[in-house]
Amino acid sequence: LSVLQSRMHRALLEYFKQRGLHSQAGLAKFQAASHENAQKILAVQGELSKTIQHITAFLHSLKDGSSTKDDN
């Protein structure tokens, strides 16, 4: 019984060690994807800001009665 308990203990230690490594790998993948998504969000926000500036300029030109020749 003592030998069986010892084997079970070693097996559980190895299991939890492997489980921890697997969890760390999954977390690393999740963090990498999160970082990539954050970069994409920043890029979209930058483009959206430019678009809003163009729309604002266009609306001001309509309000002022002037015309703009912005090809963007």
Side-chain angles (χ1 to χ4, degrees):
L1 184 60
S2 178
V3 173
L4 183 58
Q5 285 178 331
S6 178
R7 285 184 190 171
M8 182 64 92
H9 178 72
R10 286 193 307 269
L12 283 173
L13 287 177
E14 184 61 26
Y15 167 77
F16 285 117
K17 176 184 169 187
Q18 293 299 322
R19 183 175 171 192
L21 292 173
H22 180 71
S23 295
Q24 287 177 350
L27 178 61
K29 285 181 184 180
F30 182 78
Q31 288 174 328
S34 175
H35 179 73
E36 183 179 334
N37 287 338
Q39 295 301 317
K40 289 178 181 179
I41 288 171
L42 289 174
V44 169
Q45 284 176 334
E47 291 300 315
L48 184 58
S49 178
K50 289 181 198 176
T51 302
I52 289 172
Q53 288 174 357
H54 288 302
I55 291 170
T56 301
F58 173 73
L59 292 175
H60 282 298
S61 73
L62 291 179
K63 177 181 161 190
D64 297 340
S66 62
S67 64
T68 60
K69 294 186 178 182
D70 190 1
D71 294 334
N72 292 331

